């Protein structure tokens, strides 16, 4: 990565304003999944150890520019305080005189969490005056919120114009894994794409096709490709508007794109629907494909053997229904069993699926960024990264 990190800048005694991704699920005023908070700990702990005055900021949910008490970051301050084993002060807002006073009073090693940046409409508008107000709180800006780096908001991009700006360790790790896969992968390099729609991921398919040795396609996305090849997908989710694009991609990806050979079909879109396994040319009228079949699992697993780099986005089926989760879980296990391979998984639903599969700890890198990882795989420059200082 060619961006400076917290290691490249003197933070001792400085007020360091850190954009983290604390957009975590809450229930009854408690954090129910603290993965994102834990992911930010290395940067926070490093800054504490270096004697910085740590000021954290994040968005939470979609308050639409208004103060919504149920979207306060207060429960996160409590949770973080437990994880760090030290008090975390909670600010009543993210800008303004009272918050500035709190920031000014911090001692080296203290931690202050600002209130939800999206309580202000100026955050999402990337309003320069608001970004300057945020910048007033710190001497240095650190972006460790990879999951928000694809958005040019005041706390992810705007503020970096007014302070020396560097990456945190989570940001560095994400950019290193995803960047290496795209720029200098150990080969064979195989990508697996799935999920509901190809229209969401045409840019990703195009960019990856130029880089991978093989592209395995499953999930709802595969239906459109199969239909484009002339198969009748019956009631399956097919994007008619994307059939021409699918045909074009099949041509571009000739010899690289690998599609399912069999499918698990259902007589309704329902967890308890009747199911059966059919070859791709025998989807019965009135039925729909909700998972890849066992022959496809074997075929994909076979293609994966010997891979040295694997990037996966998008479930192989409707894994939310246990009867249609096997394809996704089997591919997760296949990745987990690869030896000497760098395996990378990105995407909100994909990450949830891999956690459910029970093999998450055998994956090299599970990205904390859903949309951000997809935009990165598309080859786009993320605004929250572009604005950081080069090495
Ligand atoms: P990610 O969040 O990992 O990027 P997506 O949001 O693109 O993944 O896709 C995930 C969704 O795709 C899941 O909700 C899953 O149910 C759906 N899906 C996967 N396969 C199918 C299918 N065959 N038919 C309909 N929906 C599917
Ligand atoms: Mg999703």
């Amino acid at each position: 990565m060619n961006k400076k990190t917290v290691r490249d800048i003197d933070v001792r005694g400085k007020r360091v304003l850190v954009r983290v991704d604390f957009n975590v699920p809450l229930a009854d005023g408690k954090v129910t999944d603290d993965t994102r908070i834990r992911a930010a700990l290395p940067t926070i702990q490093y800054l504490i150890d270096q004697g910085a005055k740590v000021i954290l900021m994040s968005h939470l949910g979609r308050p639409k520019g208004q103060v919504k008490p149920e979207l306060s970051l207060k429960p996160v301050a409590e949770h973080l305080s437990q994880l760090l084993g030290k008090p975390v002060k909670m600010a009543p807002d993210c800008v303004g005189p009272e918050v500035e006073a709190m920031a000014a009073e911090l001692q080296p090693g203290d931690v202050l969490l600002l209130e939800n940046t999206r309580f202000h409409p100026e955050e999402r508008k990337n309003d320069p005056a608001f970004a300057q107000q945020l910048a007033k709180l710190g001497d240095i800006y650190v972006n460790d919120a990879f999951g928000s780096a694809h958005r040019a908001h005041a706390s992810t991009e705007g503020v970096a114009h007014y302070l020396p700006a560097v990456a945190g360790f989570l940001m560095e790790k994400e950019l290193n894994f995803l960047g290496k896969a795209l720029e200098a992968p150990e080969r064979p390099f195989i990508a697996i794409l799935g999920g509901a729609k190809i229209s969401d991921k045409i840019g990703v398919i195009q960019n990856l096709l130029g880089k991978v040795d093989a592209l395995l396609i499953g999930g709802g996305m595969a239906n459109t490709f199969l239909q484009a090849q002339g198969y009748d997908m019956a009631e399956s989710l097919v994007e008619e508007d994307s059939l021409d694009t699918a045909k074009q991609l099949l041509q571009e990806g000739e010899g690289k794109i690998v599609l399912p050979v069999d499918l698990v079909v259902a007589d309704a879109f329902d967890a308890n629907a009747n199911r059966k396994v059919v070859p791709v040319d025998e989807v019965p009228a009135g039925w729909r494909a909700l998972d890849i079949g066992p022959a496809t699992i074997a075929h994909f697993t076979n293609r994966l053997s010997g891979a040295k780099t694997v990037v996966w986005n998008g479930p192989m089926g409707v894994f939310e229904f246990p009867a249609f989760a096997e394809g996704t879980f089997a591919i997760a296990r296949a990745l987990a069993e690869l030896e000497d391979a760098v395996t990378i998984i990105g995407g909100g639903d994909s990450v949830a699926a891999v956690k459910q599969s029970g093999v998450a700890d055998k994956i090299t890198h599970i990205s904390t960024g859903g949309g951000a990882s997809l935009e990165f795989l598309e080859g786009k420059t993320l605004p929250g990264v572009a604005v950081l200082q080069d090495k």
Side-chain angles (χ1 to χ4, degrees), residues 73-216:
L73 280 162
K74 254 181 232 135
V76 176
E78 282 160 30
H79 196 94
L80 176 63
S81 165
Q82 279 169 20
L83 292 177
L84 290 173
K86 66 182 289 162
V88 172
K89 296 194 184 89
M90 184 67 211
D93 197 349
C94 63
V95 290
E98 198 182 340
V99 184
E100 284 167 28
M102 286 181 88
E105 280 162 19
L106 291 174
Q107 298 301 311
D110 282 355
V111 182
L112 171 69
L113 176 60
L114 306 183
E115 188 52 284
N116 195 340
T117 53
R118 286 199 192 164
F119 284 174
H120 294 263
E122 295 89 346
E123 157 74 335
R124 301 191 76 229
K125 290 184 193 137
N126 199 3
D127 178 81
F130 179 72
Q132 278 175 44
Q133 277 193 290
L134 290 172
K136 266 189 175 176
L137 300 171
D139 306 307
I140 293 168
Y141 171 73
V142 173
N143 193 351
D144 210 22
F146 177 74
S148 302
H150 58 312
R151 311 233 183 265
H153 292 169
S155 69
T156 59
E157 201 270 349
V159 62
H161 294 283
Y162 307 106
L163 291 173
V166 299
F169 295 131
L170 174 61
M171 178 71 88
E172 179 187 38
K173 186 169 140 200
E174 293 274 7
L175 296 176
N176 277 345
F177 274 115
L178 293 167
K180 170 128 199 300
L182 292 187
E183 281 152 31
E186 299 286 331
R187 293 185 183 276
F189 172 23
I190 297 183
I192 311 168
L193 288 178
K197 297 189 192 165
I198 71 169
S199 54
D200 292 343
K201 298 181 183 172
I202 290 167
V204 179
I205 301 172
Q206 268 162 342
N207 190 40
L208 286 177
L209 269 182
K211 302 178 187 291
V212 296
D213 298 299
L215 176 58
L216 317 183

Side-chain angles (χ1 to χ4, degrees), residues 223 232-238 266-267 269 283-290:
N223 298 334
D232 180 359
M233 300 307 291
E235 295 305 308
S236 303
L237 175 68
V238 169
D267 62 354
F269 188 87
V283 179
W287 291 56
R288 67 217 19 81
L290 296 189

Side-chain angles (χ1 to χ4, degrees), residues 194-198 200-201 218-223 235-238 263-264 269 288-292 312-321 324 328 345-353 370-371 373-374:
K197 297 189 192 165
I198 71 169
D200 292 343
K201 298 181 183 172
M221 182 192 285
N223 298 334
E235 295 305 308
S236 303
L237 175 68
V238 169
L263 300 160
V264 182
F269 188 87
R288 67 217 19 81
L290 296 189
D291 196 5
I292 54 173
W312 180 14
N313 166 271
M316 296 289 99
V318 182
F319 73 99
E320 296 92 337
F321 299 159
F324 305 98
T328 302
I345 297 178
D349 294 295
S350 311
V351 169
S373 67
L374 273 182

